[in-house]
Amino acid sequence: MVPAVQEYIVKNLGSNYVEPPPFDLAGSYSDSNCCIPLIFVLSPGADPMAGLLKFGEDMSYSGDRIQTISLGQGQGPIAINMINAALKDGSWVVLQNCHLAPSWMPKLEKICEEVIIPENTHENFRLWLTSYPSENFPVSILQNGVKMTNEAPKGLRSNLTRSYLNDPISDPSFFNGCNKPHEWRKLLFGLCFFHALVQERRKFGPLGWNIPYEFNESDLRISLRQLQMFLNEYDDLPLAALTYLFGECNYGGRVTDDKDRRLLMSLLSQFINKEVVMDENYKFSESGLYFAPTDNETQQGYLDYIKTLPLNPRPEVYGLHDNADITKDNQETNLLFTSILSTLPRQSSSGGGANSSQVIDELAADILSKLPPDFNLEVIMNKYPVIYTESMNTVLRQELIRYNRLTSVVRRSLVDLRKAIKGLVVMSSELEEVFNSMLNGKVPNMWASKSYPSLKPLGSYLTDLIVRLKFFQTWIEEGPPIVFWLSGFYFTQSFLTGVSQNYARKYKIPIDQLGFKFEFLKENESDLSKPEDGAYVKGLFIEGAKWDMTRMFLGESQPKILFDSLPIILLKPEKQDLIKKEASYTCPVYKTSARRGVLSTTGHSTNFVLYIEIPSDKEESHWINRGVAALCQLDD
């Protein structure tokens, strides 16, 4: 859809509306004066500071004549002193990361309006500001200032080209400044390729990175200087030290998710290794199109090779399956349509309003008729009392408390909404949000705040909720199921703890010494009986790969099939020191396809459930680079 929209815009308005203009710092400077601030609107992957400092040097503004400060707690008074001094001597002041100091923004606005005025200001003074888009940034400064943005280049080829044209590689003394020229140029190209790859993976959403990190040119710049320094100072290739510096410090310093760190180190190992230097036939991807070219004496030789690379590379160069393009295109289309819808005016016509009210009233009545009554906890606690030998009774009780809390909020809000539509009670802001969300087919925030994580639209969410409630009702009436529906639990970790606790109490083993063994079964649910230890679970999906029922191994996804179901799995507790690592992929399990969540007290994301070992006949790094993960539920 996005390429079609671009083509339509080019045809009707011209290519200027889809192609970003070249970054022109000198032109922006000439448009400003001493009283007009220059504003860098930051974007992920682009750092304007190096370009600004270089421009300052060209304009004879360096050292004390250009002062920079990164805003944050306690930095406001220092910034004010800098501005006051610069107003008199005509130097430049750079205030970085204005979005991190929202409480100081009114003060900055006052300074721009009342202090930086022609009669008090040296004609050479300039105020430079950098900020990510923020609702706290003063509108008056934004309206009066010269606004610039320097987005990271789109595409692998553009990114590589930019790396070779920018400082420090563009400096011949740096490019030729290593005493091991062969190793230097090979690893230099590998590092630039890695830099481009980690940035480009962001466009694939959670398949690329759980969290879209803001890797930028400063990460590459420091890594390049360290690479040259280490090669000059060591006789042997210090690959272990370089891998640690790049993967754990320079790039890894931005990574907060342990699954992303595992991916980062896996990707880095493809580009910083002995084969890159020693093996002339070493390729960066399975297609064989990408490799570190044989020695070119000049920077231009590498630029010529980069120009031969595909403009729109297949996902395989990033380590992903071709299906990743479908995921990316879906996300881009959803973002485009969501952004367009957010700009549309609210329907305010009386006819339309009445019709909407009628639709929502009928929908609310339909939901209320399908929603079962709350679970009677007193009766259930008598039937399933808290006992030492069966932790599942406690798990059941805790789950029902959580679901009762959710269904009572849903029921109360719908009853109140129907009254508000009829004019019997006031339509509060919370009820209005429920009304608008239901009208747009989304889960209301009032429900989501009490709900298990879910990305489903309203209709699918309600269907899923009713199935979950039925699963627990069947458990209450017929006893614990032989195969547990893992996706049906509100708090999945409580179930896993319950399974481990039953085993620990039965065999008198400390629970913190236990882990899980995973057995993937061919049998259907009807063929199974309750296991001696552990529990059978079902309901997981795999993204980025498929489960091969014939070979009982992880396999490559079928074209255009983004998800596959995993079979029934036996979770069997076992002492950790007795669990042997076999040929398998340590696969993370998430509650939703967003994968990211809030960091909890366990050190894991709130979206993360556990790792499962899936049998595989390929290297684990292959599946790590694929972004393969198991999900408890899909988005539809």
Side-chain angles (χ1 to χ4, degrees):
M1 180 55 70
V2 174
V5 172
Q6 286 177 331
E7 192 176 325
Y8 176 82
I9 291 170
V10 169
K11 188 176 178 182
N12 290 276
L13 296 174
S15 59
N16 291 342
Y17 287 86
V18 295
E19 295 173 2
F23 187 58
D24 183 12
L25 199 51
S28 299
Y29 177 78
S30 64
D31 288 341
S32 71
N33 62 44
C34 61
C35 297
I36 295 179
L38 295 107
I39 306 157
F40 287 104
V41 181
L42 300 175
S43 59
D47 180 13
M49 278 309 297
L52 176 56
L53 294 174
K54 185 81 169 57
F55 176 69
E57 283 181 21
D58 296 342
M59 300 289 291
S60 302
Y61 283 82
S62 58
D64 292 339
R65 297 203 71 200
I66 178 167
Q67 298 192 63
T68 67
I69 184 171
S70 183
L71 292 180
Q73 190 171 6
Q75 299 301 301
I78 302 170
I80 291 171
N81 292 335
M82 281 184 177
I83 292 171
N84 290 334
L87 287 171
K88 295 172 185 173
D89 61 26
S91 56
W92 293 358
V93 174
V94 185
L95 305 183
Q96 296 177 259
N97 301 322
C98 294
H99 60 283
L100 298 181
S103 61
W104 192 71
M105 285 300 100
K107 185 75 174 175
L108 177 63
E109 185 175 22
K110 190 175 181 182
I111 290 169
C112 289
E113 289 177 354
E114 299 177 8
V115 179
I116 305 175
I117 53 178
E119 50 267 30
N120 295 343
T121 307
H122 193 290
E123 63 178 8
N124 293 331
F125 168 79
R126 292 292 185 277
L127 178 63
W128 304 80
L129 308 172
T130 75
S131 176
Y132 276 95
S134 168
E135 60 186 21
N136 297 307
F137 195 87
V139 175
S140 63
I141 298 178
L142 206 57
Q143 288 174 337
N144 297 329
V146 175
K147 294 163 285 292
M148 301 161 281
T149 189
N150 186 17
E151 291 189 348
K154 299 279 178 70
L156 191 73
R157 197 170 85 177
S158 301
N159 213 309
L160 278 169
T161 302
R162 179 163 169 168
S163 295
Y164 269 82
L165 289 176
N166 276 11
D167 185 67
I169 303 176
S170 59
D171 183 353
S173 63
F174 179 80
F175 186 75
N176 300 309
C178 186
N179 59 23
K180 297 184 184 69
H182 174 74
E183 292 86 344
W184 159 244
R185 289 179 188 137
K186 285 276 190 177
L187 292 173
L188 170 68
F189 187 83
L191 184 55
C192 289
F193 204 100
F194 167 75
H195 175 74
L197 187 139
V198 296
Q199 287 191 311
E200 287 299 305
R201 276 186 73 109
R202 280 196 303 245
K203 67 186 181 186
F204 294 98
L207 266 180
W209 298 103
N210 286 359
I211 300 168
Y213 302 101
E214 295 167 10
F215 302 116
N216 60 40
E217 292 160 21
S218 62
D219 302 324
L220 177 63
R221 201 175 300 117
I222 186 63
S223 298
L224 290 171
R225 296 193 185 281
Q226 288 172 342
L227 173 62
Q228 187 178 91
M229 181 180 73
F230 272 67
L231 289 180
N232 282 337
E233 292 186 6
Y234 287 83
D235 295 330
D236 297 325
L237 278 178
L239 292 174
L242 290 170
T243 300
Y244 183 85
L245 279 172
F246 303 160
E248 299 287 353
C249 302
N250 302 343
Y251 287 88
R254 298 183 183 276
V255 177
T256 55
D257 188 290
D258 59 326
K259 275 71 69 179
D260 283 339
R261 187 176 295 274
R262 180 178 73 157
L263 169 61
L264 184 79
M265 298 304 289
S266 174
L267 293 171
L268 184 61
S269 67
Q270 288 182 245
F271 304 100
I272 304 298
N273 58 53
K274 281 187 176 177
E275 285 74 21
V276 172
V277 177
M278 306 297 182
D279 185 358
E280 293 297 334
N281 295 316
Y282 181 78
K283 310 295 184 189
F284 289 151
S285 74
E286 294 173 1
S287 67
L289 293 173
Y290 305 92
F291 53 88
T294 50
D295 278 352
N296 286 304
E297 295 296 325
T298 63
Q299 172 199 10
Q300 187 58 44
Y302 285 92
L303 287 169
D304 291 340
Y305 165 69
I306 292 167
K307 285 177 184 174
T308 67
L309 300 178
L311 184 60
N312 296 306
R314 287 173 50 214
E316 60 90 25
V317 68
Y318 308 111
L320 298 165
H321 190 274
D322 283 350
N323 284 350
D325 262 346
I326 300 173
T327 305
K328 171 179 71 73
D329 293 342
N330 284 343
Q331 287 174 343
E332 287 181 347
T333 302
N334 286 336
L335 178 62
L336 175 68
F337 287 166
T338 303
S339 302
I340 292 170
L341 285 171
S342 69
T343 65
L344 294 178
R346 294 279 177 210
Q347 294 289 339
S348 57
S349 64
S350 58
N355 190 41
S356 299
S357 299
Q358 188 180 347
V359 168
I360 297 303
D361 185 50
E362 291 172 1
L363 177 60
D366 183 53
I367 295 169
L368 286 168
S369 68
K370 292 177 180 176
L371 205 62
D374 286 354
F375 295 108
N376 189 327
L377 292 173
E378 193 173 334
V379 172
I380 292 161
M381 285 175 69
N382 290 331
K383 188 174 182 181
Y384 296 97
V386 176
I387 53 176
Y388 184 79
T389 55
E390 185 50 270
S391 297
M392 283 301 145
N393 291 359
T394 305
V395 173
L396 175 64
R397 183 170 60 88
Q398 291 175 346
E399 286 292 303
L400 299 183
I401 290 170
R402 294 186 183 103
Y403 276 109
N404 273 357
R405 194 182 303 139
L406 170 60
T407 53
S408 64
V409 167
V410 173
R411 188 178 289 106
R412 188 177 67 249
S413 65
L414 290 175
V415 169
D416 289 347
L417 181 63
R418 293 193 73 195
K419 288 180 181 177
I421 289 170
K422 291 169 184 170
L424 300 175
V425 297
V426 175
M427 178 74 83
S428 65
S429 57
E430 289 87 358
L431 290 177
E432 188 175 3
E433 192 277 327
V434 173
F435 181 94
N436 290 329
S437 296
M438 291 175 68
L439 200 58
N440 294 328
K442 294 180 179 179
V443 178
N445 291 335
M446 186 188 289
W447 303 0
S449 64
K450 302 293 182 185
S451 172
Y452 49 88
S454 178
L455 300 177
K456 293 178 181 289
L458 182 62
S460 302
Y461 175 83
L462 290 166
T463 303
D464 177 60
L465 174 60
I466 290 165
V467 172
R468 286 168 181 252
L469 297 174
K470 188 176 180 183
F471 165 71
F472 284 105
Q473 188 62 45
T474 306
W475 183 343
I476 293 163
E477 293 171 358
E478 301 176 9
I482 293 169
V483 180
F484 290 92
W485 182 35
L486 195 65
S487 310
F489 289 93
Y490 188 114
F491 186 60
T492 321
Q493 282 84 350
S494 69
F495 165 73
L496 299 173
T497 303
V499 175
S500 297
Q501 201 167 59
N502 278 349
Y503 185 89
R505 288 173 173 176
K506 181 178 179 182
Y507 295 100
K508 296 183 170 50
I509 301 170
I511 193 169
D512 59 356
Q513 293 181 10
L514 295 178
F516 281 115
K517 284 178 70 176
F518 304 92
E519 189 178 328
F520 290 74
L521 307 178
K522 281 190 172 183
E523 290 86 353
N524 294 319
E525 188 172 349
S526 56
D527 301 329
L528 298 171
S529 55
K530 186 179 178 182
E532 181 68 26
D533 295 311
Y536 294 119
V537 297
K538 63 178 181 179
L540 292 180
F541 303 90
I542 191 90
E543 182 181 20
K546 72 165 187 177
W547 176 253
D548 190 331
M549 279 298 278
T550 308
R551 296 166 58 242
M552 299 300 283
F553 273 128
L554 201 58
E556 295 290 0
S557 299
Q558 296 286 354
K560 300 182 181 179
I561 298 177
L562 305 181
F563 303 96
D564 191 27
S565 297
L566 285 174
I568 294 171
I569 305 169
L570 172 60
L571 300 182
K572 188 174 181 184
E574 184 71 85
K575 286 191 74 174
Q576 291 173 3
D577 53 2
L578 298 178
I579 300 174
K580 293 179 181 177
K581 171 80 173 174
E582 297 174 354
S584 63
Y585 166 55
T586 306
C587 179
V589 180
Y590 297 99
K591 294 177 182 177
T592 70
S593 66
R595 302 195 186 186
R596 70 181 293 181
V598 182
L599 202 64
S600 64
T601 51
T602 61
H604 289 297
S605 156
T606 49
N607 208 336
F608 175 76
V609 180
L610 82 163
Y611 284 111
I612 58 174
E613 297 290 340
I614 304 183
S616 168
D617 57 354
K618 292 189 176 180
E619 289 284 332
E620 188 167 39
S621 60
H622 175 81
W623 302 116
I624 292 173
N625 297 350
R626 281 275 194 267
V628 174
L631 307 174
C632 290
Q633 56 175 300
L634 303 182
D635 298 350
D636 50 15

